[in-house]
Amino acid sequence: MTSWAPTPAGLQEILQTIHDSTDTQNAAIQRDITHKLNNFTRAPDYIAYLGYILAAMPQEEDRIRTIAGYLLKNNARLILRSSPDVIEYVKKAVLRAFDDTSIMVRNVAGQAVVAFLGALEPRNWPECLAHLVAALDDSDFDKQEAAFNVLEKACEDYPRKLDVEINGTWPLEYMIPKFLMLSEHPRAKMRSHAIACLSYFVPINCQALFAHIDTFIACLFKRASDEDPSVRRHVCQALVLLLASRPEKLMPEMNNVAEYMLYSTKDKNENVALEACEFWLTFAEDPDLAPYLHPLLGKVAPVLLDCMVYGEDDLLWLDADTEDAAVPDKETDIKPRHYSGKSHGFEHEGNGDDTAKPRMGAYGEELEDEDDEGFDDLDDDEFAEEMSTEWNLRKCAAAALDVLAVRFGADLLNVLLESLKLKLWNEDWLHRESGILALGAMAEGCIDAIEPHLPTLVPYLINMLNDPKPLVRSIACWTLGRYASWCTQPISDEHRNQFFVPTLEGLLRMVLDNNKRVQEAGCSAFATFEEDAGPELAPYLEPVLRNLVVAFEKYQHKNMLILYDAVGTLADAVGPALANPTYVEILMPPLIKRWGRLKDDDEDLIPLLECLASVTIGMGTAFAPYAPPVFERCTKIVHSALLAYQVYQQNPEMDEPDKAFLVVALDLLSGLTQGLGMTLETVILHSQPNLVTLLTVCLKHPQAPVRQSAYALVGDMAMHCFQVLKPHTQAIMHELIEQLDPEPKVEFVSACNNAAWSVGEIALRYGRDDPEFRQYVQPLISRLVPILLHPKAPRSLHENAAVSIGRIGLMHPGIVAPVLPEFAQMWCQALYEIRDNEEKDSAFRGLCTLVQHNPAGIAKSLLWFCNAIVRWNHPSAELNNMFQQLLNGFKQHDPQGWTAQIATFPPAIQERLAQRYGV
């Protein structure tokens, strides 16, 4: 075929390894094979050997050739660094295998073609594209279908790579009309492929498709009533994609499209119904389309509500009626958790929440991003788990209702109220359950409209916690969690007794349910309730803790991880109230028991350490008896993790060590520092190896989350046990200054935030005009001011930089005051919306000190300065006094100029200045 040929020894070694790999029972052999296969990838012509086994060894079993094909597909990227003769050989081998007599070989070769065409890009392999398009006219239907299958996957995976000019022509200019023609093919599979291929070019604004857009839309309407569900599914998908990127093309026909989509949302085939339901989710998510969607609400919302009833298939997979609390979980039940360390931020006035929320599923579980793994190699149990958590019609309808609620609020509730009542008070538990799900889905958007009904609905939901069906109890938990902020409002004793206490008791009962799904929903909802209740929970701590402690004995592996989260959230919510000796005695024994049972490399140690970090802060000095062993173990984990990383850096072919243990151990050390302060001094000083020495190494760690947690620990040590940190300041300050970057990469933002915050804490502890710290002032200000002035720096970074500039200015005004005019306006803009707290207070005292040293420095930013002053609700007496003196000073210095200037301010600022400060 080409100049490349295999050597017999090399071929034999790879072939033997593939044969050995079929012995799946022996774990040791499998590990050895994985190691060998990884090593083979270093051979420059490995993929050519795989191509040879796939295409040129018909004497081998199909299974062996197919394994070679899968290895070839999975290593397709290697072709980018292969020699020309290997590239030529592999290209020809996969196309030859694609025409093989064996269907198994043809199928895997098709997947390999998709992978290589993507890696090489069609412009570097035009003959492959020509081969596939020509096969669409083959007299053998199987060959037609196989080629179309590959083309569909290519159009889905990399449409942009196909929308290119190759040797003077644009392949899509003949492919698109070809696909349009094939949408009329007598065989359903071909029609389905044709519509699918066309639809994938919609989102990329492909000109070759848009030249035929009217023909395409006409073809969709023609195929809309196709008898084949796969074709109808792709028609719905194409309409969803058109709505998302070219809505103006659908608007003239919107009434017909809407009717068709409503009809399809009720299709007997769930795949068609799901694709049609996505249409309403897409429609609702685009605010510009709201005027077109609003008149359809009365028709759309009830259909979505009906889609939320569990189907028979769902119930088969869920097998949800069992009392399974004593049944151990399978390891496959445990989803990987992503631990991210603590990041220093500020609360803002109002309820603006800047954080992007993950997409929530019907039970409040976070939905994974769609991946393309499919179900190829799942066994039955894993398949069942996948089925119960995958994106489906019910979840899509709930998500669409959620977005509609946010978009249309009360208008949605008005059209749904009667249908919803029928669901909630239905005799059939499946309809009741779907009504409760809908009520939860609408919570965020319709809260104002639903609030008058909550005095009836909350007791209804609490009552549903007694339902004999676990699925009803679990959805009632989730929905109560969605209304927790209303239940926990400290309005009156009556509200507390009628709603707060019964919800608290009901959810605690669910935490100890005998069904694992209900435990999970109860524990998650209770964590939400804790967060919303905050200190209001303090009087109920004893019964809460006693319940949670019973759960420690009752829970299996998966729910135990959620329980840790609930305990940590409780500690964050009630804070120092947890320090009561009775509570310490209830909570600590089960935690310490778990702590003793887990090895240092057990994944479950991560959520336990995370939980303990919150508990130590809440308990404060009451945690002291447990502190030394916890401190020692964390130090040991940090030390081992740093050594493991050092080994990895010397042997880069090893797997990179998991950073989570290191990050969470640093965060627990932060918790201990905040909770125990100087009581830890002896433990830190005698730690072996020394904690602060390890910390200095962590500050240089290549992984940003490790640096992030290390800077947080530096800031906490500065606040709570500065004398221990002080001897090491020189090494630490050098790293901190290096980390301050006006435009950090996204993944470095949190590390940069923590560094910016901790330098301010260190400056404060050194004190006024300290000669040792003075050397750092200039380098710090020259890094912090550009961060503050950088238009693209994240808001959190602006805030942390501004606070630290203020604090450094408070301690070293002589050095900082001359540069005040450069940053005064941006400084005031960065901090005026932050809630009053001690950090903000010290930062503003710093700014006032700088203005006292350089009054001219604020002249051009006076409006912003006065706005920031009047935004304070409760400044400390010292700060309020500084505001008064400065404002009086401005007025006395130039009474006429002052009067003229404030006359230009917005009336609200003028009023507050006059009321509070008489200026």
Side-chain angles (χ1 to χ4, degrees):
M1 284 164 78
T2 64
S3 57
W4 182 87
T7 66
L11 182 62
Q12 184 52 40
E13 188 181 3
I14 291 173
L15 198 54
Q16 187 58 50
T17 306
I18 292 175
H19 274 279
D20 293 345
S21 74
T22 58
D23 174 11
T24 53
Q25 298 308 309
N26 189 324
I29 288 180
Q30 286 301 313
R31 273 198 302 277
D32 183 46
I33 284 161
T34 306
H35 185 67
K36 274 187 179 169
L37 292 173
N38 285 340
N39 282 341
F40 287 153
T41 60
R42 294 190 193 134
D45 52 358
Y46 173 49
I47 53 174
Y49 280 98
L50 295 173
Y52 185 85
I53 297 168
L54 174 68
M57 298 191 78
Q59 69 276 24
E60 285 292 336
E61 279 178 61
D62 285 356
R63 186 158 82 128
I64 298 300
R65 295 171 69 194
T66 304
I67 292 172
Y70 276 117
L71 289 168
L72 187 59
K73 175 195 83 150
N74 293 341
N75 288 289
R77 306 289 305 164
L78 295 178
I79 201 161
L80 298 176
R81 53 172 203 250
S82 298
S83 61
D85 56 336
V86 166
I87 293 172
E88 276 316 297
Y89 183 84
V90 171
K91 283 172 164 181
K92 292 199 167 118
V94 288
L95 286 180
R96 182 171 151 197
F98 187 56
D99 290 332
D100 199 270
T101 51
S102 155
I103 187 156
M104 275 172 79
V105 171
R106 279 205 307 277
N107 281 345
V108 73
Q111 293 183 41
V113 170
V114 174
F116 283 111
L117 192 58
L120 289 165
E121 300 199 11
R123 59 199 163 91
N124 298 317
W125 196 11
E127 59 273 27
C128 173
L129 210 49
H131 182 97
L132 293 169
V133 175
L136 296 177
D137 294 324
D138 201 292
S139 54
D140 178 345
F141 170 69
D142 285 342
K143 287 192 176 169
Q144 272 185 22
E145 212 271 315
F148 224 162
N149 203 9
V150 169
L151 281 168
E152 183 186 328
K153 196 78 183 102
C155 295
E156 181 180 5
D157 288 355
Y158 39 84
R160 286 179 202 284
K161 290 180 184 177
L162 290 159
D163 191 11
V164 290
E165 191 178 0
I166 303 177
N167 303 331
T169 62
W170 291 77
L172 286 185
E173 284 180 356
Y174 62 86
M175 285 164 68
I176 292 227
K178 180 90 185 155
F179 296 158
L180 285 164
M181 196 179 76
L182 289 168
S183 71
E184 306 275 340
H185 198 281
R187 294 202 184 219
K189 274 188 171 176
M190 297 295 279
R191 297 198 298 277
S192 176
H193 286 312
I195 303 278
C197 285
L198 289 161
S199 71
Y200 294 128
F201 292 106
V202 173
I204 66 158
N205 260 323
C206 166
Q207 288 318 299
L209 174 66
F210 288 142
H212 300 279
I213 189 79
D214 296 329
T215 320
F216 176 45
I217 290 173
C219 135
L220 293 177
F221 287 149
K222 200 167 185 180
R223 294 272 63 87
S225 52
D226 200 291
E227 76 272 9
D228 184 82
S230 173
V231 176
R232 294 200 305 279
R233 180 172 86 82
H234 284 301
V235 168
C236 290
Q237 179 187 32
L239 289 168
V240 171
L241 293 168
L242 278 166
L243 182 71
S245 51
R246 293 297 291 269
E248 75 284 356
K249 286 290 174 190
L250 293 184
M251 286 311 142
E253 292 289 339
M254 187 37 85
N255 284 340
N256 292 334
V257 173
E259 282 302 326
Y260 173 66
M261 282 310 208
L262 278 171
Y263 176 75
S264 300
T265 306
K266 296 182 269 193
D267 198 295
K268 294 275 181 288
N269 181 295
E270 173 150 346
N271 292 330
V272 176
L274 173 58
E275 211 58 66
C277 192
E278 292 275 2
F279 182 82
W280 305 114
L281 184 54
T282 303
F283 211 152
E285 281 173 336
D286 186 341
D288 296 339
L289 299 180
Y292 299 95
L293 181 53
H294 193 268
L296 300 170
L297 272 185
K299 287 181 175 177
V300 175
V303 170
L304 293 174
L305 188 57
D306 286 336
C307 290
M308 288 155 69
V309 182
Y310 272 120
E312 286 176 20
D313 290 354
D314 295 324
L315 295 175
L316 282 174
W317 291 116
L318 287 166
D319 182 27
D321 277 350
T322 49
E323 293 206 346
D324 57 359
V327 180
D329 294 328
K330 293 192 275 309
E331 285 312 299
T332 50
D333 293 342
I334 319 290
K335 286 204 174 69
R337 291 161 62 93
H338 303 292
Y339 178 71
S340 57
K342 50 191 282 191
S343 182
H344 190 270
F346 297 94
E347 289 188 355
H348 295 92
E349 291 297 346
N351 296 322
D353 186 3
D354 297 345
T355 53
K357 290 186 177 165
R359 204 160 52 118
M360 300 311 275
Y363 282 107
E365 78 274 26
E366 277 187 39
L367 296 169
E368 302 293 323
D369 287 333
E370 303 290 309
D371 57 21
D372 57 359
E373 292 302 305
F375 291 136
D376 298 349
D377 46 5
L378 295 180
D379 65 28
D380 289 345
D381 289 335
E382 285 175 299
F383 184 58
E385 170 64 11
E386 192 74 32
M387 285 302 289
S388 69
T389 56
E390 68 156 351
W391 190 235
N392 57 22
L393 179 60
R394 166 191 164 85
K395 290 182 180 178
C396 182
L401 205 59
D402 184 356
V403 182
L404 285 172
V406 171
R407 185 77 61 231
F408 300 112
D411 291 355
L412 174 69
L413 186 67
N414 291 339
V415 301
L416 259 193
L417 198 55
E418 290 314 310
S419 316
L420 194 56
K421 281 180 184 168
L422 288 173
K423 293 276 186 200
L424 292 172
W425 277 273
N426 200 301
E427 288 297 306
D428 182 340
W429 74 270
L430 285 168
H431 284 274
R432 250 192 345 268
E433 193 278 346
S434 68
I436 298 169
L437 167 60
L439 192 60
M442 292 157 67
E444 186 187 349
C446 292
I447 185 65
D448 292 340
I450 290 175
E451 193 163 334
H453 302 277
L454 286 178
T456 312
L457 288 170
V458 167
Y460 164 86
L461 289 168
I462 293 167
N463 188 36
M464 285 299 114
L465 299 176
N466 301 317
D467 195 285
K469 289 287 180 187
L471 287 172
V472 174
R473 298 200 298 277
S474 57
I475 201 66
C477 288
W478 180 70
T479 298
L480 274 169
R482 299 275 285 176
Y483 291 100
S485 58
W486 183 83
C487 299
T488 55
Q489 283 172 358
I491 302 171
S492 63
D493 288 350
E494 190 186 4
H495 183 90
R496 183 187 301 117
N497 296 333
Q498 265 188 305
F499 307 112
F500 181 100
V501 175
T503 305
L504 171 69
E505 288 171 346
L507 289 175
L508 280 177
R509 232 179 36 251
M510 296 304 97
V511 166
L512 297 180
D513 197 270
N514 286 327
N515 176 280
K516 290 195 284 194
R517 179 183 295 277
V518 179
Q519 292 172 358
E520 177 181 2
C523 209
S524 300
F526 188 64
T528 308
F529 183 87
E530 293 170 332
E531 226 169 303
D532 288 327
E536 295 291 314
L537 260 182
Y540 308 95
L541 266 173
E542 187 165 344
V544 168
L545 288 169
R546 291 205 187 281
N547 267 271
L548 295 177
V549 163
V550 174
F552 272 110
E553 293 306 314
K554 186 166 189 167
Y555 276 14
Q556 300 300 330
H557 189 178
K558 180 183 179 187
N559 287 349
M560 186 69 76
L561 305 180
I562 300 166
L563 181 59
Y564 289 142
D565 185 47
V567 172
T569 306
L570 178 66
D572 294 339
V574 299
L578 201 58
N580 179 322
T582 311
Y583 307 154
V584 177
E585 278 169 36
I586 298 171
L587 182 57
M588 285 314 297
L591 287 177
I592 292 300
K593 187 174 169 188
R594 305 284 312 166
W595 164 268
R597 211 182 283 169
L598 297 172
K599 293 194 171 69
D600 283 356
D601 59 353
D602 191 318
E603 294 281 339
D604 286 3
L605 193 59
I606 293 168
L608 175 56
L609 293 176
E610 190 183 350
C611 164
L612 278 170
S614 295
V615 170
T616 52
I617 296 170
M619 287 187 179
T621 50
F623 192 83
Y626 305 96
V630 171
F631 180 92
E632 272 169 44
R633 187 166 185 184
C634 286
T635 314
K636 185 174 144 206
I637 291 171
V638 170
H639 187 217
S640 310
L642 290 174
L643 289 177
Y645 205 86
Q646 199 176 358
V647 172
Y648 161 72
Q649 285 176 310
Q650 287 155 1
N651 305 282
E653 72 279 357
M654 288 172 58
D655 287 339
E656 191 169 19
D658 183 1
K659 62 183 174 293
F661 288 97
L662 178 49
V663 169
V664 78
L666 288 168
D667 287 351
L668 178 44
L669 288 165
S670 269
L672 284 167
T673 308
Q674 286 176 66
L676 293 156
M678 280 309 281
T679 5
L680 272 183
E681 184 178 13
T682 16
V683 186
I684 297 175
L685 291 175
H686 293 110
S687 55
Q688 280 303 328
N690 182 273
L691 171 65
V692 190
T693 312
L694 293 176
L695 181 55
T696 316
V697 179
C698 292
L699 296 176
K700 303 184 176 87
H701 201 283
Q703 290 174 314
V706 176
R707 295 200 304 279
Q708 173 186 334
S709 289
Y711 291 123
L713 180 49
V714 167
D716 286 327
M717 288 183 78
M719 283 174 79
H720 301 283
C721 46
F722 181 58
Q723 292 314 315
V724 180
L725 190 72
K726 194 175 180 184
H728 304 266
T729 315
Q730 188 132 21
I732 288 170
M733 287 306 297
H734 175 72
E735 296 304 329
L736 283 174
I737 292 166
E738 281 298 300
Q739 186 66 48
L740 298 173
D741 181 353
E743 206 172 343
K745 290 180 184 166
V746 175
E747 63 272 28
F748 294 171
V749 169
S750 292
C752 198
N753 261 335
N754 288 357
W757 163 70
S758 56
V759 294
E761 290 295 345
I762 293 173
L764 278 188
R765 308 304 155 205
Y766 262 103
R768 190 73 182 252
D769 292 322
D770 183 276
E772 191 182 328
F773 190 83
R774 189 177 295 135
Q775 59 182 311
Y776 307 119
V777 174
Q778 198 54 52
L780 282 170
I781 294 298
S782 67
R783 293 277 184 134
L784 290 167
V785 170
I787 290 176
L788 179 62
L789 300 181
H790 199 293
K792 285 191 182 158
R795 177 180 181 175
S796 59
L797 201 46
H798 279 156
E799 291 165 356
N800 278 308
V803 166
S804 284
I805 291 169
R807 291 170 143 196
I808 295 167
L810 180 61
M811 295 300 137
H812 297 271
I815 307 177
V816 182
V819 289
L820 177 63
E822 286 177 36
F823 65 78
Q825 180 179 327
M826 276 306 295
W827 194 99
C828 296
Q829 282 174 301
L831 295 187
Y832 76 84
E833 281 186 316
I834 288 180
R835 287 231 179 112
D836 298 357
N837 64 20
E838 204 293 311
E839 287 183 37
K840 181 180 172 182
D841 201 279
S842 60
F844 268 84
R845 292 200 310 273
L847 184 73
C848 291
T849 307
L850 295 175
V851 175
Q852 287 165 353
H853 274 69
N854 180 8
I858 201 75
K860 288 185 177 165
S861 316
L862 201 55
L863 167 60
W864 292 101
F865 181 51
C866 290
N867 176 50
I869 289 175
V870 300
R871 287 299 191 105
W872 273 87
N873 296 314
H874 306 288
S876 64
E878 185 185 354
L879 178 59
N880 204 42
N881 198 24
M882 291 174 98
F883 287 157
Q884 185 73 64
Q885 284 178 354
L886 284 171
L887 292 168
N888 286 345
F890 292 140
K891 188 175 178 179
Q892 286 159 9
H893 175 68
D894 178 8
Q896 283 178 312
W898 170 259
T899 310
Q901 184 152 13
I902 65 163
T904 64
F905 290 3
I909 298 180
Q910 293 185 47
E911 278 167 36
R912 285 192 183 175
L913 286 173
Q915 278 166 7
R916 289 192 194 169
Y917 300 105
V919 292

